[in-house]
């Protein structure tokens, strides 16, 4: 039974670390695309929304755009991006930023380094506090078991 108080928080920490790694990877990808200096005009081919949740949980709606552009080398690239502006509709022309070696990881988001840093920082701070809480919980439980006290969840 004691192992339950170590396994569950450890799994929660693992998922939080995966989330942090994903956030850092996404931020670096977008930042590199903005810094590359390569831009192209892309056409919005499709715009759609997805909804998740419902029932007893809050419904979350995500806006998706599918873009297509041609690189300087003449390669046609199609990519999908989440959380773009609601004012971009099918047929609109937008500027995309991309890396020469990875054009499929382009972004149509306008450069906003401060906003990207703030978003990433807030998410990472939240995950850091969450991880610290999990570690603190395991330490308290461990000390409780060493002292022979019974804990009821």
């Amino acid at each position: 039974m004691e192992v339950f108080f170590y396994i569950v928080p450890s799994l929660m920490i693992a998922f939080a670390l995966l989330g942090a790694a994903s956030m850092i990877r996404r931020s670096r990808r977008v930042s590199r695309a903005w810094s590359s200096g390569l831009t192209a005009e892309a056409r919005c081919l499709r715009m759609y929304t997805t909804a998740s949740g419902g029932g007893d949980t809050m419904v979350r709606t995500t806006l998706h755009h599918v873009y297509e552009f041609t690189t300087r080398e003449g390669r046609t690239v199609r990519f999908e991006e989440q959380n773009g502006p609601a004012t971009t509709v099918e047929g609109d022309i937008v500027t995309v930023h991309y890396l020469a070696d990875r054009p499929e990881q382009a972004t149509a988001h306008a450069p906003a380094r401060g906003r990207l840093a703030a978003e990433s920082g807030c998410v990472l701070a939240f995950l850091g506090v969450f991880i610290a809480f999990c570690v603190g919980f395991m330490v308290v439980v461990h000390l409780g078991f060493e002292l022979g006290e019974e804990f009821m969840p």
Side-chain angles (χ1 to χ4, degrees):
M1 182 66 176
E2 292 177 20
V3 74
F4 176 78
F5 291 104
Y6 298 113
I7 290 176
V8 172
S10 295
L11 288 174
M12 293 168 68
I13 289 170
F15 282 116
L17 290 173
L18 285 173
S22 175
M23 171 58 71
I24 291 169
R25 200 171 29 253
R26 178 192 161 278
S27 296
R28 291 185 67 213
R29 179 182 56 82
V30 170
S31 181
R32 282 194 314 266
W34 287 339
S35 299
S36 74
L38 296 175
T39 61
E41 287 189 350
R43 178 174 301 277
C44 179
L45 301 178
R46 184 171 179 230
M47 180 181 107
Y48 66 97
T49 58
T50 56
S52 59
D56 292 338
T57 62
M58 184 175 72
V59 175
R60 175 176 158 78
T61 304
T62 304
L63 184 63
H64 301 262
H65 290 92
V66 178
Y67 299 104
E68 185 175 81
F69 70 98
T70 304
T71 65
R72 291 182 182 175
E73 295 78 31
R75 179 178 164 203
T76 301
V77 177
R78 184 178 293 187
F79 71 98
E80 181 178 330
E81 189 168 50
Q82 296 180 0
N83 299 322
T87 55
T88 301
V89 295
E90 292 179 24
D92 283 355
I93 304 293
V94 298
T95 300
V96 295
H97 301 265
Y98 68 97
L99 292 167
D101 57 338
R102 291 196 178 113
E104 62 280 348
Q105 293 182 354
T107 182
H109 291 290
R113 286 175 175 76
R115 179 178 177 180
L116 181 65
E119 287 175 352
S120 301
C122 288
V123 170
L124 292 175
F126 171 78
L127 292 173
V129 169
F130 179 79
I131 290 169
F133 175 79
C134 290
V135 170
F137 176 81
M138 289 191 299
V139 167
V140 167
V141 166
H142 180 74
L143 292 175
F145 284 132
E146 279 188 354
L147 297 174
E149 298 174 7
E150 298 273 336
F151 282 98
M152 292 301 291

